[in-house]
Amino acid sequence: MSRDIQNWTGSNGVLEFYAGDKLVRRFIKIDKLSTAMGTDDGKPHSYRFGYGVLEENFNMIADPDEKKMYFEVSDFGSNYIFFENPR
């Protein structure tokens, strides 16, 4: 099965980044996390991308001043966890 079929699609994903055991960045309301594919060779790249709300105050709520934005996540050296928001 190719990696582009293995993309997560939902409606309320959460992506958290850690520096050691400390949460340093969180995106919420992610509806799709995709694997980048090469334009010329069609092979998967070593990062994923998506759109989500940059949740700056870590309250798990998309506040009016927190905006949806594009992000990329490297498969190398990034300590992150991706999950569906249970709320």
Side-chain angles (χ1 to χ4, degrees):
M1 181 182 297
S2 69
R3 289 178 69 184
D4 56 341
I5 296 174
Q6 296 174 2
N7 292 336
W8 182 86
T9 303
S11 60
N12 200 13
V14 177
L15 180 63
E16 295 181 337
F17 292 90
Y18 290 86
D21 62 349
K22 182 180 179 182
L23 176 63
V24 294
R25 183 85 63 227
R26 178 187 287 152
F27 291 92
I28 61 174
K29 295 188 173 273
I30 299 168
D31 61 359
K32 186 173 184 180
L33 190 60
S34 300
T35 301
M37 303 299 282
T39 303
D40 295 330
D41 61 10
K43 293 182 180 179
H45 286 233
S46 60
Y47 68 94
R48 295 182 175 269
F49 66 93
Y51 289 89
V53 175
L54 177 59
E55 210 275 292
E56 297 177 283
N57 60 8
F58 303 129
N59 66 356
M60 292 295 283
I61 297 169
D63 296 315
D65 61 334
E66 296 172 335
K67 304 298 179 200
K68 191 170 193 172
M69 59 185 296
Y70 174 82
F71 61 84
E72 294 179 0
V73 181
S74 171
D75 287 350
F76 306 110
S78 296
N79 293 324
Y80 67 92
I81 183 170
F82 182 71
F83 58 95
E84 187 165 6
N85 190 342
R87 298 180 188 185

